[in-house]
Amino acid sequence: MRGLTGGRTPGETGRTTQAASTAVAVFVALGVSLSGCGTGGTGARDEGPAHADTVGGAASSSPAPAAKASPSKAPDRVDAVRLVKADPKVSPEVKRELKPCVADEYPVDVSYGKLTDGSADDVVVNVLTCGDAVGVGSYVYREEDGAYQNVFRAEEPPVYAEIDRGDLVVTKQVYDKGDPVSSPSGENVITYRWASDRFTEAYRTHNDYSKAAGNAPTPAPEPDG
């Protein structure tokens, strides 16, 4: 029977106190048992990485979506043929060689990369001959004030320019008297670097080609017996 104030009768109070005491005893015993496992070598592990569901709340059961790779910015393409033909620094001889080989396909190789300290990629253009693909002119164009300016040229054929890890590498083949176009005697490889608003030679190497490779006579087979 409850009192007018909503309190409990003495019998109810006694039973509640007894139940609470029993629950406390159970939790104390359980805590001692777990503590013994944590400090001993035969129970739960003493240390180790925390699981994802115990750090910062429960982990989501579904895997996180994979991050999308941002697309690489492609360099702005240039009309290399028009660029060379309109360049007053290009010789008339090279411009005459710059004509379609097949349909509207011109013999030009174009490379983009960082050679100078400009904000945009520099452009390397090699003009070749149609028949044997001999380089007749190599040029580097740098963007300045929205236009491309010629900052390097080499027009002593055969010549070819490339970008190598931020350096400009120009290869010039060397011919001795009587060498056919397909068989030069060697090559000069010159490395240029951009400094003080111009390219300066950093170093060069010379390579001699072997005359014997591929030209050695085939020995006659020995007679049987």
Side-chain angles (χ1 to χ4, degrees):
M1 179 176 179
R2 299 181 184 279
L4 296 177
T5 59
R8 301 187 180 198
T9 62
E12 290 176 330
T13 302
R15 287 193 296 272
T16 302
T17 303
Q18 183 179 2
S21 299
T22 301
V24 170
V26 172
F27 280 110
V28 169
L30 180 60
V32 171
S33 175
L34 293 176
S35 175
C37 292
T39 57
T42 59
R45 295 183 59 186
D46 297 331
E47 59 185 8
H51 294 289
D53 56 356
T54 63
V55 180
S60 173
S61 59
S62 59
K68 294 182 179 180
S70 57
S72 301
K73 183 181 182 297
D76 294 333
R77 294 293 189 260
V78 301
D79 187 339
V81 174
R82 179 179 298 179
L83 193 62
V84 171
K85 287 187 173 182
D87 186 355
K89 294 183 179 181
V90 176
S91 67
E93 292 78 14
V94 172
K95 291 182 180 180
R96 282 196 298 268
E97 290 287 347
L98 190 53
K99 55 188 177 182
C101 297
V102 178
D104 58 349
E105 296 294 330
Y106 285 81
V108 294
D109 287 347
V110 186
S111 302
Y112 301 85
K114 294 293 185 181
L115 287 172
T116 71
D117 57 1
S119 58
D121 281 341
D122 301 299
V123 184
V124 177
V125 181
N126 287 286
V127 180
L128 315 172
T129 60
C130 287
D132 43 24
V134 173
V136 295
S138 299
Y139 311 93
V140 178
Y141 292 93
R142 181 175 187 265
E143 187 182 35
E144 297 178 1
D145 299 327
Y148 284 98
Q149 304 296 328
N150 187 328
V151 293
F152 179 88
R153 66 172 178 168
E155 296 181 329
E156 301 83 16
V159 62
Y160 198 88
E162 299 174 281
I163 301 173
D164 184 8
R165 292 169 292 183
D167 291 336
L168 175 65
V169 179
V170 178
T171 301
K172 298 180 178 181
Q173 292 180 324
V174 178
Y175 290 86
D176 288 340
K177 185 176 181 180
D179 286 342
V181 174
S182 59
S183 299
S185 296
E187 65 180 10
N188 293 322
V189 182
I190 310 169
T191 300
Y192 296 90
R193 289 177 181 161
W194 183 259
S196 302
D197 295 331
R198 64 189 182 94
F199 283 104
T200 57
E201 182 177 330
Y203 52 88
R204 69 169 59 202
T205 59
H206 175 80
N207 302 314
D208 284 327
Y209 299 152
S210 172
K211 295 294 186 181
N215 297 324
T218 303
E222 297 181 0
D224 295 335

